[in-house]
Structure formats: C-alpha cells, structure tokens
Amino acid sequence: MKLLTSVLLLGLWLAVGTVGTRADTLKLVTLSYPPYEYMEGDKVEGIVVRLLREAFGRLGHDLEIEVLPWKRALLMARQGSVDGIFTVYKTEERLKFLDYSETVVMPQVVSIWALRGSNIPYDGTMESLSDVSIGVVHGVSYGDKADKAIEDGTLGKLDYAPNSSHNIKKLLAGRTDAVIMNRYGAIYHLRLQDGFDKVEELRPEVSAVPSYVGFSKKRHLSGLRDQFDEVMQAMIESGDYKKIVDNYYLEALPEQDF
C-alpha cells in the first residue's frame, strides 16, 4: 500500500511539474507601426516584438501576436478578448481598461515632417499649424500636446489615413502639407519609399512620448504586469535591451542612418 501511495504521489508530482514548466501562450494585439511592430510575410517582426518575446520568454510565456487596425486592437483590449496591447501611449481614457506596465517599453519622439522647401510656418506650437493639412492615422495617440490640439480643433485641417505608410505616400505626392509621426517610424517608411532626401523633420519636436504594454483589466493580469516590469527593468540594466535594439538595426535596416 505504501508503495502504491508513493507511486501515485510521484506521478502527481511529475504531472504538476510538467504543467508548471509548460509555456503558457499570451495573446497580444498591436498595429502595423514599423520599425516597432509589423508583418514581414507571415511573421510579426519589429524592435518591440523582439523585446517582448525575450521578456515574456524569460517568464515562461509564448506570445501570439496579431497585427490589426489600431481602433480594433484597442476595442479587443477593452473587451478583454486579448491579454494585452502594445505599444500604447498612456491616456486617461485608456487607464479605465488597461493596466499599464510601469517600465517604458519604447520612448518615442513625435515630430512634424514636410517636403523640403515647403516653408511650413511651424514655430513649435500647434497653433502655428492651424491652416496646414496634416496627415494622421485614425485612433493613434500622438501625446498630450498633439492629441489636445486634434480634439479641440486647433489642428483644423486633418487628413486621416488608415496607416503611416499611406500618410507618407500622400506627403511625398504633395496631397498633404505635412505629417505628424513617430521619428523612427517616419524614417522607416521614407526609406522604403525612397523619400528620405525629399523631406525634412521640423524643429522643435512635438513631444517625447513613452509607450508601454497595456494589459487588459478584464483579464486580471496585474500580477503578470508586475513580473513583466521586473524582467524588462533587468534587461535594461544588464544591457540586453540595448543589444536587442542594436541587433535589429544591424539585421533589418543595415543601411539606415539614425
């Protein structure tokens, strides 16, 4: 009897151990926002994708990442049909349905881009752009300063597009006067469309906006969020974070001048 009990306990221990070591899959959604996250063939690629796969991998989790239109991705995070969303700016509205990571996943500089010689009358204020047609993407936050100007109508000539690539195409074709975009995202699309030498980044920058991973509150993942923060902070302090970013540029964009 003692032998049978011991065998049963051993079997139970092995079963529990197997379950504990099996990687759980988390479902995250994002938008197409190169070079941070985007589809490359049938694979999701990008700087932040690599960072998150490494961080969650250290926690024993695989990632299932779906690239979607941003408004749909936000809705899924709000409804709790996915575990989280990235890279997401922090807004009062989103705090209602997202548990944000404390650690900044990617700091993003937002700036205005225009064709060279277009003489856009930008002086650092949103008011100076009130009569300028500006390309933006539906549902994307550009930081408090720009978001407020969009909401209150200070930016009076907004030209919406489904994604950043379309905005760059319209800018290069002269169909809009300027675009407001993340700096690295703008450079990425301009290089792909052979337009980098045709435009200029207006100074000063609009804002430097931190972006995060947002965990759906309906999934009750605040504990996982805390674990993620610990791992991501450790990656930053050890230099592993920088290595992943540097390796991305060496592999994916070897000729880029950032």
Side-chain angles (χ1 to χ4, degrees):
M1 186 67 180
K2 287 183 178 180
L3 178 60
L4 178 60
T5 301
S6 298
V7 170
L8 288 173
L9 288 173
L10 177 60
L12 179 62
W13 180 83
L14 288 173
V16 171
T18 302
V19 172
T21 57
R22 186 177 65 241
D24 294 320
T25 299
L26 297 171
K27 184 169 183 179
L28 303 181
V29 287
T30 186
L31 76 168
S32 180
Y33 200 34
Y36 303 109
E37 50 261 351
Y38 57 95
M39 293 299 299
E40 187 172 84
D42 60 355
K43 176 185 175 184
V44 183
E45 182 55 280
I47 302 170
V48 177
V49 171
R50 294 187 182 190
L51 290 169
L52 296 190
R53 289 199 187 282
E54 176 64 24
F56 283 110
R58 294 185 184 191
L59 291 171
H61 296 288
D62 291 330
L63 292 183
E64 178 186 335
I65 301 172
E66 189 172 4
V67 177
L68 297 168
W70 189 236
K71 292 180 75 172
R72 182 180 169 196
L74 282 170
L75 179 61
M76 292 176 73
R78 181 192 293 271
Q79 293 174 336
S81 55
V82 294
D83 295 303
I85 184 171
F86 70 95
T87 47
V88 61
Y89 296 160
K90 191 176 291 187
T91 68
E92 288 301 318
E93 173 60 26
R94 294 172 186 175
L95 283 168
K96 297 174 184 176
F97 61 91
L98 292 178
D99 284 322
Y100 281 86
S101 60
E102 290 292 332
T103 305
V104 175
V105 174
M106 181 61 61
Q108 301 186 24
V109 173
V110 175
S111 53
I112 305 292
W113 297 78
L115 292 175
R116 291 186 182 275
S118 56
N119 297 317
I120 300 296
Y122 177 59
D123 62 8
T125 67
M126 295 294 96
E127 288 76 14
S128 64
L129 297 170
S130 60
D131 292 324
V132 176
S133 63
I134 298 179
V136 292
V137 176
H138 280 289
V140 170
S141 170
Y142 296 98
D144 290 343
K145 182 178 178 180
D147 287 353
K148 182 177 183 299
I150 291 172
E151 184 178 348
D152 65 19
T154 299
L155 296 178
K157 292 187 175 181
L158 297 176
D159 189 352
Y160 285 95
N163 55 54
S164 299
S165 178
H166 277 74
N167 267 335
I168 292 297
K169 286 179 182 177
K170 288 193 294 185
L171 176 64
L172 294 175
R175 289 161 48 202
T176 190
D177 297 326
V179 296
I180 180 170
M181 281 187 69
N182 168 279
R183 178 180 289 161
Y184 284 146
I187 293 172
Y188 179 92
H189 286 293
L190 286 164
R191 292 289 193 189
L192 286 181
Q193 298 181 39
D194 196 27
F196 185 73
D197 295 332
K198 301 173 185 176
V199 304
E200 59 183 338
E201 182 181 19
L202 306 186
R203 302 290 183 169
E205 64 194 36
V206 175
S207 57
V209 187
S211 63
Y212 307 84
V213 174
F215 296 83
S216 176
K217 285 190 174 182
K218 289 200 172 182
R219 307 287 278 200
H220 306 291
L221 295 171
S222 58
L224 177 62
R225 184 270 315 276
D226 294 342
Q227 294 175 348
F228 170 79
D229 278 326
E230 291 180 9
V231 169
M232 184 59 73
Q233 192 59 45
M235 287 169 56
I236 292 171
E237 292 174 0
S238 68
D240 291 340
Y241 178 104
K242 186 176 184 301
K243 286 178 185 176
I244 291 171
V245 174
D246 290 346
N247 285 339
Y248 170 83
Y249 284 119
L250 287 172
E251 295 171 18
L253 300 170
E255 297 179 1
Q256 305 310 305
D257 235 349
F258 295 100

